[in-house]
Amino acid sequence: MERLAVLSLLLSSFFVSLFISFLKEERVFLRSLVNAIAAFYKLFVVAYLLWSVYRGGVFEIRYSMVPFADFYLTVDPLALLFVSLSSFLWLITTIYAIGYLEGAPNRRRFFVFFNLAVTSTMGIALAGNMFTFFLFYELLTLSTYPLVVHRGTQKALRAGGIYLVYTILGGSLFMLCLVLLYMFVGDSTFHTGGNPSLRAWVLENPLWGKLLFYGFFFAMAVKAAVFPLHQWLTRAMVAPAPVSALLHAVAVVKAGAFGIIRLVYELYGVELVQSMELWQPLAYLTAFTILFGSFMAVFQEELKKRLAYSTMSHLSYIILGILLPGQLSTMGALLHLVNHGIMKITLFMCLGNYAEKYGVHKFKELDGVGKKMPLTTIAFTVASLGLIGTPMTVGYLTKKYLEAGAKAAGEEWAIYVFYISSILSVFYLMPIVFKALFGRSREDKEKKGLEVSPLMLIPPLITAFLTLLFGILPPEAISPLKWVQYIVNKAYGGY
Amino acid sequence: MPIDLGYLVALPLLASLLSLIPSLRVYTAFIFSLLSFLLSLYSFIYTLMGDIPLYQWIGGWVAPLGIGFRLDGLSGFFLLMTGIIGFFVALYSFSFFKVEYQRQGKVFWFFFFFLWAGLNAFFLSEDLFNLYVVLEVLSLSALVLVALPGHRKAIKASLNYLFLSILASMFYLLGVAMLYANYGVLSMSLLSEKLAGTHAFTYALFPIIVALAIKSALLPFHFWLPPAHSSTVAPASALLSSLVVKPPAYLMLRLWLEVLPKDKSLEYLSIVLSLMGALAILVGSYYAIRQKTIKMLLAYSTVAQMGYLFLMAPLYYHGESFREALLQAFALQVFSHALAKASMFLSSGNAIYVARRDDLSYMPGFAHSHPLTFFALFFSGATLIGLPLSAGFVAKFLFLGLSIRLGFIFQGSIMLFGSLLASLYVYPIWRESFSSHPTKFYDNPIPQLMELSAFFLGFLSFSSGIVTFLLLQGIVRG
C-alpha cells in the first residue's frame, strides 16, 4: 500500500503522458478528462501521504540500480512540501492550459511533455539520495526543452538552444560531482542533519569537500538562475503562458532551489556548512542576485521578462534563506518556496489572459486593460502586493521570517537587501497595475462576453485567493506555515 | 528448464531458407522473427533464473574438437538485445519494403535472418575458430545489406567494406593460427588456462585485436563505416550500425577479461587502443556535427559511440576487482547504443520517406507533423547523449566512476566531453524538428508500423535505464 502510494505519485503523470502520446490529436475531450482525473487523483494521494507522514509513517522504495548507486525514493515532510505544492499547481495549470491552448496546434505533444515534466518534478521531490535526484533533475531538463520551443519560432528555437547549453553544462558538472562523491564517499543518501559518512570524509579532506559543495551548488544554481547563470530564464519566456507559469516560475527553478535545500540541510548538514563557512561567499552572490534581478526587472518593457527577472530575484530569497544559519531563515526559505510559487503562477496566468484576449505583451500596450478585464486584474493586483510583501498576504509572512532570520544570524546587511528588493519590486509591479487600471485605452473597443473563458479565469482567482488566505490564517490552522514549522522542528530537533 | 541453444541459430537459418519462397515470404518473416525474439527472450530469462554458464556441445562432440555453445549472463543479455532489435526491425521492414524498394525486399529477408543466425551464434560461441567462421558469416551478410540499394555509391561502399573485412579476417586468422600452433586449443576457457602465467605468445593476440579493431571501425580503420552505413536502405542501416559492429567489441572484452594474461605489452596495447578510442570519439563527433545529411550524421555518431568501448580498454586490463561493474557498463553502453541507433536509423528512414531526400534541412516541423517519429528521435537522441534515465546514462555513470576509481582521469574527462559533443550533433535534429517552418512534404502519412517500431525502440533505449538492475542480474550471476 505504501509503496503503491509512492509509485502512483510518481507514475500517474507518466502514464498519462504515455497514454496521451497514443491518442489522436483530435481527441480533446478524452485527453483533458484523463489529465484532470490524474491531477485530482494525485492530489488525493498527496493528502493521504500528508496525513500518514504526519502520524509518523515511513514510505520508501529502494533498490540497487547500478553497482555503486541506489535508486531511492522516500517520502519525508520536506518532500511532501514540494510534492503538494507542485501537484496542486499542476492541477491549476492543467485546467488553465486546457483553456489557454484551446484550438492551438500540437496540444498532444504539449501535454505529453508537460506530464513528463511533472513526473520529473515528483521524482525530484521524492528522491532520497543525490543519485536519484540527479536522474530526475536531468529528466526535467529533457522534458522541458520541448515545452520551451513549443511554438517553433526562430526566437523560441534560439531560447531553447540557450536553455540546453546552460542545463547540459550544469548537468555535466552535476554528474562529475556525483561520480566523485560516489567514488570518494560511496553514499549520497539524504539524512536529517547531514550524511554522516560524507561528514567524516569532508572533515578529513576539507579542500575536496569544499570543491564538491561548490560544484553541487553551481550545478543546481543553473536551474535556480543565480546571477551569472540566469541568461536562459529570461529567454525561455518565449514559451506559452502555462509553461512559463508552471515550469519557469515553479517547477524548474524551484527544482534548483529544492536541490540546494537538500544539499545544505540533508547532504552536508547545516553544522558542516556553517563550521566550514561554506555559505558566506554564496550568500553574497545570492544577495547580489536578489538586487540584480529586481533592478533589471524595473527596466523590462516585455511583461513576461519583467516577471522572469523577478523570479530570479525571488529564487535567491529562498537560497539566501537556506544559506543563512538559523531556524527562522530556514522557515522563511521553505515558506517562500511555496508562497512564491502561488503568487508567481497567478501573475503569469494573468499575463497569459491579457495576452490571449487583447494581445498585450509589452508594458506600453497595457493601457486600460484593467477595466476590460477586472477579475484578472484583481488577481494580478493581489499577487503583486503579495510579492512586494504587503501585510495580510503570504509574501508578508515570508519576508518577516527572512528578516528575522537574517537578524538572528547576525547578518544585518541581508535585511537591507530584502528592504531594497521590496522597494524595487514596488517599482516593477505597481506600474503594471496602475497602467492597466488607469491608462487610457487607445482603441476603446471592448470585446463581448466574459473576459476570458472560465477555464482561464478561475485558476488565477483561486491562487490569488490563497495568497490572501494563507496570509491571514492563524498559525494553528492547517496551512503551509504549519507544515513548514513541523519540518523545521523535526530538522532542528534532530540534533 | 534448459533450452537447446542450437535452436537460437537453427531457427533464423531455417527462416532465411524459407524466405526464398516468394509465396511464404511474409508469413515466414513474421512468424520466425517473432519466434526468434521469443527464444532470445527465453534464453535471457534463463540466464536470470537457471544454471549458468550453460555449456552445450553440438552433436555431442566435446572440446577441443567439437563445436560448443556457451550461455552466460553477458551472452544472454546480448541475445536479448539482438532479439529486440531484430524483431522491431522486422516489423519495420514489413511496411518499408511494401512501400519502397520492393525489388530489394525479395532478398532482404534472406540476409536478414542469415545475419540474425550469425549474431546469435557469435554471442554463443566461445571457441576462437568458431568465432572466426561466424565473423565471416556476419561480414558476408553485412556486405550484401550494404549493397542492397544497388546504386553506385552503395556498391562502392560495399566493396570498400569487403576489402577491409578480408584484411581483418586475415589478421584474425593469423592470430588464431599462431595460437593453435603453440597451444593446440582455441576454446577461450582452455586457452586462458594455458596462457596463465606465460608471456611467450601473447603477441599472437595482437593481430586478433587489430582485426577486431578494424571490424568495429576503430579510428584509423573507421573510414569504411560512414559510407557503408549511410548509403543503404533504412532497416539495413539500422541493423549494420546497431548490431553488426558490436560483436568484435564484445569479443575483445571477453579476451581482455577472460583470456589475456597480465603482461606489460598488453598494457601498452590497451593504452594505444584507449588513445585511438579517444580520437574516435573526438573525430567521429566532429564529423557528425558537420554533417548535413541525417544518415551520415548517424553513421559518424556510431564511430564516436564505438570509441567509448575502446576508450575504456585500460580499465579492462586493470579492473579485475570491478569485473561486475565493468561488464555492466560495457553491456549497457552496447545495449543502449544499439537500441538508440536502430531507432534513429529507422526514424531517418521515415524522414526520408516523407521528404524524399536525406537532408537535415528538410526536417523542419517533424515534431508537428509526425510526433511518433519525433518522439523516437527525441528519446534515442537523449540516450546517445547519455541523459538520465536512459541506459546510456547508467553506462556512462559506471564508466566514469570506474575511471576515477582506477585513476584514469584522461579517459573520464574524454567520456564527459564526448557526451557534450554528442549533444552537439543530436541538437540539430531536435531543433529542426521543432521549427515551425511550413513544409509541403509532410502531409503524406508514414505507415503506422514504421512509426511505431521506431518509437518503441527509442522508448526502450531510454526507459531501460530505470530497470538496469533487472537487465543486469544475469551478468552479476556469471
Side-chain angles (χ1 to χ4, degrees), chain B residues 290-469:
Chain B
R290 290 189 39 156
Q291 293 309 312
K292 295 277 174 277
T293 64
I294 310 163
K295 282 187 138 185
M296 276 303 249
L297 186 158
L298 294 180
Y300 272 110
S301 129
T302 300
V303 173
Q305 296 279 334
M306 290 301 290
Y308 289 120
L309 303 177
F310 290 93
L311 176 71
M312 294 301 154
L315 303 187
Y316 309 149
Y317 182 80
H318 289 281
E320 261 143 8
S321 39
F322 299 102
R323 202 185 126 88
E324 251 173 39
L326 255 182
L327 281 175
Q328 293 189 346
F330 182 90
L332 276 181
Q333 170 64 24
V334 170
F335 180 82
S336 64
H337 172 246
L339 260 64
K341 198 44 80 58
S343 162
M344 288 199 114
F345 264 118
L346 295 185
S347 318
S348 80
N350 291 349
I352 293 165
Y353 172 73
V354 173
R356 309 311 310 171
R357 71 196 74 200
D358 182 3
D359 193 336
L360 262 179
S361 56
Y362 278 78
M363 288 281 283
F366 226 69
H368 313 288
S369 54
H370 299 92
L372 270 184
T373 300
F374 164 71
F375 287 142
L377 283 169
F378 188 71
F379 285 128
S380 45
T383 309
L384 284 189
I385 301 174
L387 289 175
L389 315 158
S390 71
F393 158 72
V394 182
K396 293 205 167 95
F397 180 79
L398 281 176
F399 267 145
L400 195 58
L402 284 171
S403 55
I404 289 175
R405 177 64 69 79
L406 294 168
F408 291 99
I409 303 301
F410 170 73
Q411 276 79 356
S413 31
I414 289 283
M415 175 127 241
L416 264 184
F417 189 57
S419 298
L420 292 181
L421 289 178
S423 60
L424 283 184
Y425 62 72
V426 169
Y427 173 65
I429 302 180
W430 290 357
R431 187 194 55 212
E432 290 304 320
S433 347
F434 275 113
S435 165
S436 62
H437 278 305
T439 28
K440 59 182 177 190
F441 302 104
Y442 302 127
D443 293 336
N444 18 343
I446 302 170
Q448 195 103 70
L449 211 51
M450 282 164 70
E451 286 214 280
L452 281 178
S453 42
F455 171 75
F456 273 110
L457 275 176
F459 182 72
L460 278 178
S461 75
F462 186 74
S463 58
S464 55
I466 199 78
V467 287
T468 38
F469 71 103

Side-chain angles (χ1 to χ4, degrees), chain A residues 140-388:
Chain A
L140 186 64
T141 303
L142 199 61
S143 50
T144 44
Y145 168 72
L147 296 174
V148 174
V149 296
H150 184 75
R151 290 229 169 92
T153 55
Q154 282 306 312
K155 207 173 152 202
L157 292 179
R158 209 168 312 124
I162 288 166
Y163 179 54
L164 273 190
V165 167
Y166 274 85
T167 45
I168 285 189
L169 283 177
S172 301
L173 177 63
F174 200 153
M175 175 150 171
L176 184 65
C177 292
L178 191 66
V179 171
L180 286 173
L181 180 66
Y182 267 98
M183 290 306 112
F184 290 146
V185 183
D187 184 24
S188 70
T189 319
F190 299 139
H191 283 276
T192 314
N195 183 322
S197 44
L198 177 79
R199 187 187 157 76
W201 176 76
V202 171
L203 289 178
E204 271 174 45
N205 308 285
L207 181 65
W208 275 104
K210 226 174 208 176
L211 280 178
L212 219 52
F213 182 82
Y214 288 133
F216 276 126
F217 182 88
F218 281 108
M220 318 257 196
V222 172
K223 284 229 165 84
V226 174
F227 167 62
L229 310 168
H230 63 281
Q231 290 284 345
W232 66 269
L233 180 69
T234 49
R235 300 192 191 209
M237 287 302 146
V238 297
V243 176
S244 322
L246 182 64
L247 302 174
H248 292 114
V250 184
V252 174
V253 289
K254 292 286 161 65
F258 189 74
I260 293 172
I261 294 179
R262 292 281 200 198
L263 173 71
V264 171
Y265 292 121
E266 305 203 325
L267 195 67
Y268 271 68
V270 189
E271 253 180 278
L272 204 59
V273 173
Q274 277 170 33
S275 64
M276 291 182 68
E277 303 205 321
L278 293 169
W279 61 277
Q280 259 161 351
L282 299 178
Y284 296 134
L285 182 66
T286 42
F288 177 72
T289 312
I290 292 176
L291 296 178
F292 177 81
S294 303
F295 186 72
M296 291 297 282
V298 177
F299 301 102
Q300 296 306 312
E301 181 62 15
E302 221 172 302
L303 292 172
K304 272 175 115 183
K305 252 195 179 152
R306 203 176 265 225
L307 290 193
Y309 275 110
S310 143
T311 300
M312 179 185 165
S313 94
H314 276 268
L315 254 290
S316 283
Y317 277 42
I318 301 175
I319 300 171
L320 186 55
I322 298 163
L323 291 170
L324 288 175
Q327 248 183 54
L328 286 171
S329 59
T330 309
M331 277 194 68
L334 293 182
L335 264 180
H336 205 51
L337 190 79
V338 177
N339 295 346
H340 171 250
I342 295 173
M343 297 184 286
K344 199 39 93 42
I345 208 168
T346 316
L347 293 182
F348 269 113
M349 287 191 290
C350 292
L351 280 195
N353 287 355
Y354 289 153
E356 191 65 12
K357 187 79 178 187
Y358 290 103
V360 176
H361 296 281
K362 298 233 163 81
F363 179 71
K364 61 170 189 266
E365 298 162 353
L366 270 168
D367 286 321
V369 159
K371 274 173 263 173
K372 298 179 208 158
M373 303 174 74
L375 290 174
T376 307
T377 311
I378 288 172
F380 191 91
T381 313
V382 168
S384 302
L385 289 175
L387 270 193
I388 293 165

